[in-house]
Amino acid sequence: MVEVIKGALSLGLLWAIMTIGVYITYRILSIADLTVEGSITLGAAIAAHAITSGMNPYLGTLIALLGGMAAGLCTGLLHTKLKIPALLSGILTMIGLYSINLRVMGKANISLLRMENVYTVFENMGLEPTWATITLGAISVAAIVCLLYWFFGTELGCAIRATGNNPYMVRAQGINTNTMIIIGLVISNGLVSLGGALIAQNQNFSDIGMGTGSIVIGLASVIIGEVLFGKRNFFMRLTSLVFGAITYRIIIAFVLKLGMHSNDLKLFTAITVAIALSLPMIKDFVNPPKIAIGEGEQDA
Amino acid sequence: MLRIDGVYKVFNPGTVNQKTALRNVSLDMKEGDFITLIGGNGAGKSTLLNCIAGVYGVDKGSINIAGVDVTKLTEYKRAAFLGRVFQDPMMGTASDMILEENLALALRRGKPRGLRWGISNKEREVYRELLSHLGLGLEHRLNVKVKLLSGGQRQAITLLMATLNKPKVLLLDEHTAALDPKTAAIVLDLTERLVHENGLTTLMVTHNMRDAIRYGNRLIMMHDGRIFLDIQGEEKKKLTVEELLARFGSASGQEFSYDRALLS
Ligand SMILES: Nc1ncnc2c1ncn2[C@@H]1O[C@H](COP(=O)(O)OP(=O)(O)O)[C@@H](O)[C@H]1O
Ligand SMILES: [Mg+2]
């Protein structure tokens, strides 16, 4: 039992980084960005390649972060410069990344067993592997949450948040909405790729298929966080994402314990997210909103 | 302050839906001019404002604001010169953000956004002061999400935002049309006050003939993409609704469509 929770906590912290990335596009920019399916694998692939070729794992992880940012930039340019719809831009980058990820890894999967990784330092300090992951995961997540809380409070960050909310108004205030969208996508995919690099080093392998369905896991975590831990202010929202990601892992651990086959997990997650996303509609159906005729309803 | 020269705007060129929304429109606005722009549905009023603001490029002609040729500039670059309020109260504010964040975004209109904190405490005091002048009790609601405010409150806020960083030209596109008559009157009075206090060069679209006559120092009427009437000075002061209708009829050879353009 304690072991299960511990495992869920360690995985949840690593996936929280990816979840924060998904939140930035899905909630802040109001874009469903499928690039993440490719950039999470890109992060794993870059870290795995770096580590197997003897590079310092921290440097390899940093390069993974930069690789993800480049992937986000690619989607951003496709969307804003070539005017391809956001969803399709993300799909194009994701598909392109499949080949790139294979190129980076040289094969479909790489084992990292018994190689030095980012957690080794903590294990050398006497922590058992799961605690080493929890320690580094918690430090990373805390740093990211604080950094983003600051960033989205700056002039630039406010402009990005407003862009996802009302691009017309933002342009009327002299802000280049295309630049804001690109910056958001770059940060988001950088974080997702960083998450991928840390996940690969935790599970000791990188696999070309590990990104499949990750967007749904990210969305599930975002929604669980919002439902269970509220969205009072921006700092609470960011922390709720971390708790959402951890809760998701705990739920998964339990349904597996209850006997669900691991092959059915993605279907389970997809159905859960579909239900969660349709909650507002179900609510309206059960409890129809009163139609108010007021200002705005009059001749426009 | 604003010079428009022979502007044409064609929507969907080369298709069955081709529509010439502006035909050879020229207009010279002097500094401090307060022009009311009136015309029937589809006359091209919004298109004219959108062409000035750079939402659409023009197909021919040029636009010059405060001595700068902006014809080729993108919308967000032209925003440095312009304050804008739209017909839809939802358009002018970011509804999921709080009031003070919206004001802070507007205060920095036309300036580069950096990594400084988005709002300073000093600004907050200024906002509170300015909001208290609106008389809507908004000075106590700086931390409220704008979506929780009424349409009238949002238009008043958008108006304040448009004038916060004094614009070269203020563009108002039927900004009271979606409000109930009482709220519309409040917002119109506020408009006049802000325009006068700041000496703003203003172009205000309205569908209400009485408002068009009551406000401003110059009245322009559009029909079918053209400017038909341009009345200013003493002549404008003496204008009546009947006379306006008659003059529109003789100038355009058509009767003004009464649809919604009349009284309230
Ligand atoms: N984005 C657009 N695409 C195609 N046609 C448009 C567009 N905007 C306006 N029009 C057309 O141009 C004409 C002028 O519209 P508009 O400027 O909105 O009129 P007004 O504001 O005076 O009521 C109308 O016939 C309208 O259908
Ligand atoms: Mg209009």
Side-chain angles (χ1 to χ4, degrees):
Chain A
M1 180 63 197
V2 175
E3 281 307 308
V4 173
I5 302 274
K6 236 169 68 188
L9 181 62
S10 65
L11 261 184
L13 282 169
L14 301 186
W15 279 85
I17 300 172
M18 183 274 178
T19 301
I20 294 171
V22 170
Y23 172 82
I24 290 173
T25 46
Y26 185 68
R27 280 288 189 236
I28 295 186
L29 289 180
S30 308
I31 287 176
D33 176 33
L34 286 179
T35 315
V36 296
E37 300 242 324
S39 45
I40 190 169
T41 315
L42 178 67
I46 291 176
H49 177 83
I51 287 169
T52 48
S53 27
M55 190 188 277
N56 178 304
Y58 286 96
L59 184 58
T61 306
L62 180 68
I63 298 173
L65 170 77
L66 297 177
M69 292 170 91
L73 178 65
C74 177
T75 302
L77 292 175
L78 287 173
H79 176 49
T80 60
K81 300 291 175 212
L82 303 183
K83 307 287 172 215
I84 299 171
L87 192 64
L88 191 53
S89 299
I91 291 176
L92 291 175
T93 309
M94 172 187 88
I95 297 294
L97 279 176
Y98 188 86
S99 298
I100 291 174
N101 292 338
L102 276 175
R103 284 266 176 194
V104 172
M105 293 202 288
K107 52 189 175 187
N109 54 66
I110 294 181
S111 166
L112 297 173
L113 269 178
R114 279 179 290 283
M115 275 182 232
E116 191 187 329
N117 59 36
V118 286
Y119 308 106
T120 314
V121 184
F122 296 91
E123 286 166 20
N124 290 345
M125 281 158 49
L127 292 176
E128 59 166 291
T130 314
W131 279 113
T133 307
I134 292 173
T135 307
L136 182 60
I139 293 172
S140 316
V141 164
I144 290 167
V145 166
C146 291
L147 207 60
L148 289 182
Y149 179 71
W150 164 75
F151 178 73
F152 283 107
T154 64
E155 292 172 345
L156 183 61
C158 282
I160 295 174
R161 282 192 291 139
T163 298
N165 197 200
N166 183 352
Y168 305 99
M169 172 265 196
V170 172
R171 280 192 291 273
Q173 303 308 335
I175 297 163
N176 186 345
T177 45
N178 284 346
T179 308
M180 298 305 121
I181 292 172
I182 291 174
I183 295 174
L185 284 166
V186 164
I187 297 175
S188 162
N189 281 286
L191 288 175
V192 172
S193 182
L194 173 65
L198 294 180
I199 291 164
Q201 294 172 71
N202 172 61
Q203 66 192 13
N204 282 318
F205 68 87
S206 163
D207 183 88
I208 188 68
M210 69 180 270
T212 312
S214 57
I215 179 83
V216 184
I217 295 175
L219 287 178
S221 307
V222 170
I223 295 165
I224 293 171
E226 284 177 350
V227 170
L228 294 186
F229 305 96
K231 36 185 181 181
R232 272 181 299 274
N233 58 44
F234 193 63
F235 193 78
M236 282 303 294
R237 275 166 191 252
L238 287 174
T239 35
S240 80
L241 298 171
V242 180
F243 291 119
I246 294 168
T247 310
Y248 173 81
R249 286 295 147 188
I250 293 175
I251 293 171
I252 294 300
F254 270 102
V255 295
L256 286 176
K257 256 213 147 35
L258 289 177
M260 182 181 282
H261 195 279
S262 62
N263 286 351
D264 296 333
L265 270 186
K266 289 209 160 106
L267 178 63
F268 171 78
T269 308
I271 292 172
T272 313
V273 171
I275 293 172
L277 288 178
S278 57
L279 273 182
M281 253 191 65
I282 296 171
K283 236 192 248 161
D284 284 355
F285 183 75
V286 177
N287 197 355
K290 292 184 194 74
I291 292 165
I293 299 177
E295 34 186 17
E297 288 278 325
Q298 299 180 353
D299 180 34
Chain B
M1 187 53 84
L2 171 69
R3 217 182 60 237
I4 301 170
D5 259 323
V7 160
Y8 283 81
K9 177 67 199 171
V10 183
F11 287 113
N12 310 312
T15 71
V16 287
N17 292 322
Q18 178 163 330
K19 169 79 201 175
T20 306
L22 296 178
R23 308 164 194 268
N24 197 15
V25 172
S26 296
L27 178 67
D28 200 346
M29 270 182 100
K30 286 189 263 316
E31 185 162 4
D33 262 353
F34 182 173
I35 299 185
T36 54
L37 172 55
I38 195 161
N41 248 333
K45 308 178 297 293
S46 296
T47 305
L48 179 61
L49 263 61
N50 282 328
C51 283
I52 296 169
V55 178
Y56 311 128
V58 300
D59 295 300
K60 211 174 148 199
S62 69
I63 297 170
N64 190 297
I65 306 174
V68 181
D69 183 355
V70 300
T71 317
K72 294 268 178 311
L73 288 188
T74 55
E75 182 185 1
Y76 78 89
K77 284 195 176 135
R78 288 189 212 189
F81 302 103
L82 301 170
R84 289 157 70 195
V85 183
F86 315 94
Q87 177 171 346
D88 180 354
M90 304 298 145
M91 280 271 280
T93 43
S95 57
D96 280 332
M97 294 175 77
I98 60 179
L99 176 50
E100 63 175 21
E101 287 174 329
N102 275 277
L103 294 168
L105 281 166
L107 182 70
R108 291 162 179 75
R109 179 170 48 76
K111 298 186 183 130
R113 317 277 161 155
L115 294 178
R116 276 171 309 238
W117 198 243
I119 304 181
S120 68
N121 279 327
K122 216 168 70 205
E123 273 172 70
R124 276 195 191 97
E125 287 313 310
V126 176
Y127 298 155
R128 241 179 238 123
E129 171 79 20
L130 290 171
L131 286 168
S132 71
H133 291 323
L134 300 185
L136 298 169
L138 289 168
E139 63 274 20
H140 308 297
R141 309 191 71 184
L142 280 176
N143 284 310
V144 168
K145 279 195 183 159
V146 173
K147 69 174 164 200
L148 298 175
L149 303 175
S150 73
Q153 288 174 321
R154 291 179 72 157
Q155 283 308 64
I157 291 165
T158 310
L159 205 53
L160 182 61
M161 285 167 62
T163 55
L164 213 44
N165 172 5
K166 191 178 164 184
K168 296 290 182 205
V169 180
L170 177 63
L171 301 174
L172 309 169
D173 190 356
E174 300 201 39
H175 66 305
T176 60
L179 307 176
D180 65 81
K182 209 176 124 230
T183 318
I186 294 173
V187 172
L188 266 178
D189 283 344
L190 176 66
T191 307
E192 178 156 59
R193 221 183 67 211
L194 285 172
V195 167
H196 281 150
E197 277 171 10
N198 297 299
L200 297 173
T201 310
T202 304
L203 181 53
M204 176 172 95
V205 178
T206 172
H207 65 256
N208 186 307
M209 290 210 169
R210 292 191 171 175
D211 289 339
I213 291 169
R214 184 183 306 137
Y215 295 100
N217 64 327
R218 190 171 163 192
L219 182 149
I220 283 175
M221 191 180 248
M222 283 183 77
H223 177 71
D224 197 23
R226 285 191 184 87
I227 293 180
F228 270 88
L229 288 177
D230 186 346
I231 304 168
Q232 40 189 315
E234 283 306 308
E235 207 187 347
K236 155 92 170 42
K237 282 187 191 145
K238 284 186 291 203
L239 201 62
T240 61
V241 171
E242 294 70 30
E243 195 190 339
L244 191 54
L245 284 169
R247 289 190 60 172
F248 175 76
S250 60
S252 69
Q254 274 166 299
E255 231 173 273
F256 188 75
S257 60
Y258 281 81
D259 48 4
R260 62 191 181 114
L262 221 58
L263 322 157
S264 64

